[in-house]
């Protein structure tokens, strides 16, 4: 039985004393394998007569009075108790996301308190995710960014909740260093059949993934929505299609049932074409720490991946000839000619006209640590149907 009316009779202290404040858990599933991967803690006021009051009925008044801060800590403490129980009993648990009001930004000892509670129960910090609603970014944006930096520095993961329904400017997303983006259910109407809605969603997932954010779609209710979200390579699904928020005991049973590692479904059977492409890209990115996309005709380049590579100081100008000059300057002097000859724009253009598919060389490259290492660079020519520009993808990796 769920109460509909606004609960002006809610008394936080009383509810806690009477043990009427209950934590429900909503499972979050991997969008491709349908496996339980994490969860969100959602508070309920369960009255003695069995009436369940949803947070929308009492949280606004707590936000107003400031008591929301105490509620959030209460929820965290109970989540930690739950996770500790799993840990003690050897149950394979999943991380739990806890909602924290924007009011915590003003708590000067927030991170200390967070660490103290979680550590007290011996729960690994990676098992707790901190959810902060996107609307919090409208005001206090500088303080929020600093707040998030501190939380992540303490090894907790941070999720931006309700993305797409607040009024914050898109620019905040480039400044923010979060781990997870939760796309709000308000963006998922019409079973995702509306063309404009699909464009907006595809773009959000695209920029989120390029910013290396893990994506979760909230409020997924239909198979059509799920199908579309898979084509966007959405990582995780939270919604009534799979499961409603459930009482702790029920979620406990679910975790225990998921305890035995299931036979993995054949990944190719559950792939949407774009997800398969994503897998392929991930494989390429894992194999090559440095990937550069260049337009030889326009003398420009774009760094697609740049991690754990020997030379960490490639130019950011985007001018291809600068890149080659930089490569040559950090090259073993005996390899310089080979490098220049192979990768000068004119020589690559010639190779392309000859019909070569790839040009590759091994050179010795000076790392930022002052040591020369052998680097293999393979430049693959690619065609773009909408232009005659000569494009090339460089895949580079250290051989030593
Ligand atoms: P939220 O953090 O965005 O949580 C997701 C809400 O969407 C939950 O509502 C959940 O029940 C609902 N939901 C999930 N899947 C579906 C679906 O498929 N369809 C529909 N229609 N709804 C779905 P809930 O539990 O009523 O919570 C509402 C909000 O209250 C939460 O939104 C969160 O902002 C706030 N809240 C809940 N617990 C806490 C808490 O402990 N602390 C704070 N500060 N806020 C909380
Ligand atoms: Mg939330
Ligand atoms: Mg949300």
């Amino acid at each position: 039985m769920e109460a509909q009316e606004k609960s002006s009779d809610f008394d936080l202290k009383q509810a806690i004393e009477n043990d009427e404040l209950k934590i429900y858990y909503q499972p979050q599933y991997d969008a491709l394998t349908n496996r339980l991967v994490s969860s969100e803690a959602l508070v309920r006021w369960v009255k003695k007569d069995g009436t369940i009051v949803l947070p929308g009925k009492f949280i606004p008044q707590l936000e107003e009075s400031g008591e929301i801060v105490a509620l959030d800590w209460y929820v965290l403490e109970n989540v930690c108790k739950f996770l500790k129980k799993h840990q003690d009993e050897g149950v394979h648990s999943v991380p739990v996301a806890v909602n924290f009001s924007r009011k915590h930004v003003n708590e000067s000892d927030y991170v200390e308190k967070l660490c103290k509670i979680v550590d007290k129960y011996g729960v690994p910090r990676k098992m707790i995710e901190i959810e902060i609603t996107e609307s919090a970014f409208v005001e206090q944006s500088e303080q929020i960014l600093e707040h998030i930096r501190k939380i992540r520095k303490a090894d907790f993961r941070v999720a931006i909740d309700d993305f797409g329904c607040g009024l914050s400017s898109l620019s905040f997303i480039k400044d923010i260093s979060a781990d997870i983006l939760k796309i709000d259910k308000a963006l998922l109407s019409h079973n995702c059949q509306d063309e404009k809605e699909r464009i907006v969603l595809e773009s959000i997932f695209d920029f989120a993934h390029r910013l290396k954010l893990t994506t979760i779609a909230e409020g997924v209710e239909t198979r059509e929505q799920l199908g579309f979200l898979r084509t966007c390579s959405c990582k995780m699904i939270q919604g009534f299609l799979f499961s409603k928020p459930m009482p702790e005991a029920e979620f406990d049973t679910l975790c225990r049932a998921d305890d035995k590692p299931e036979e993995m479904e054949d990944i190719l059977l559950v792939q949407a074409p774009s997800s398969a492409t994503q897998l392929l890209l991930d494989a390429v990115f894992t194999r090559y720490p440095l990937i550069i996309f260049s337009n030889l005709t326009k003398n420009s380049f774009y760094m697609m991946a740049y991690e754990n590579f020997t030379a960490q100081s490639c130019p950011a100008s985007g001018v291809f000839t600068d890149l080659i000059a930089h490569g040559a300057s950090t090259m073993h002097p005996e390899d310089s000619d080979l490098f220049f000859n192979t990768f000068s724009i004119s020589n690559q253009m010639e190779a392309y006209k000859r019909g070569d598919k790839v040009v590759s060389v091994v050179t010795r490259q000076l790392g930022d640590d002052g040591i020369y290492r052998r680097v293999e660079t393979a430049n693959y020519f690619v065609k773009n149907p909408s232009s005659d520009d000569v494009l090339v993808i460089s895949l580079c990796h250290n051989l030593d």
Side-chain angles (χ1 to χ4, degrees), residues 210 289-306 309 311-328 339 343 345 348 377 379-380 382 389-396:
R210 290 174 67 184
L290 177 63
I291 304 175
I292 300 165
F293 186 89
S294 308
N295 183 326
L296 299 179
T297 311
K298 300 239 161 59
N299 188 22
S300 62
F301 77 91
Y302 154 67
M303 205 78 80
M304 294 170 81
Y306 190 20
F309 195 65
Q312 293 292 318
S313 44
C314 276
S317 67
V319 178
F320 182 78
T321 40
D322 287 355
L323 183 68
I324 296 301
H326 168 81
F339 183 78
F343 295 127
I345 290 186
Q348 284 199 83
T377 305
N379 277 12
Y380 290 85
V382 288
D389 289 357
V390 179
L391 308 176
V392 72
I393 293 181
S394 313
L395 303 178
C396 313

Side-chain angles (χ1 to χ4, degrees), residues 362-365 372-376 397-400:
V362 176
T363 50
R364 283 160 290 175
Q365 192 84 31
Y372 282 109
R373 289 189 185 81
R374 286 179 312 136
V375 171
E376 181 174 54
H397 67 138
N398 296 322
L399 294 175
D400 299 323

Side-chain angles (χ1 to χ4, degrees), residues 23-24 26 40-44 54-56 58-59 63 68-69 71-72 75-76 98-102 104 131 133 161-162 182 184-185 217-222 225 238-245:
I23 320 299
Y24 275 46
Q26 187 172 25
E40 178 174 8
L42 295 159
V43 73
R44 303 282 181 266
L54 293 174
F58 58 90
I59 279 195
E63 286 273 1
I68 187 71
V69 169
L71 174 119
D72 292 344
V75 171
L76 174 73
V98 179
N99 291 280
F100 277 94
S101 156
R102 77 196 72 181
H104 294 275
E131 286 201 7
T133 178
D161 201 359
D162 310 322
K182 296 189 74 178
D184 194 69
K185 51 184 171 291
E218 287 189 291
V220 181
E221 294 184 348
T222 67
Q225 289 173 335
Q238 179 180 350
F240 295 170
L241 176 66
F242 286 123
S243 173
K244 288 196 166 179

Side-chain angles (χ1 to χ4, degrees), residues 25-36:
Y25 291 82
Q26 187 172 25
Q28 296 167 337
Y29 293 89
D30 184 291
L32 289 181
T33 62
N34 294 358
R35 285 196 64 135
L36 172 69

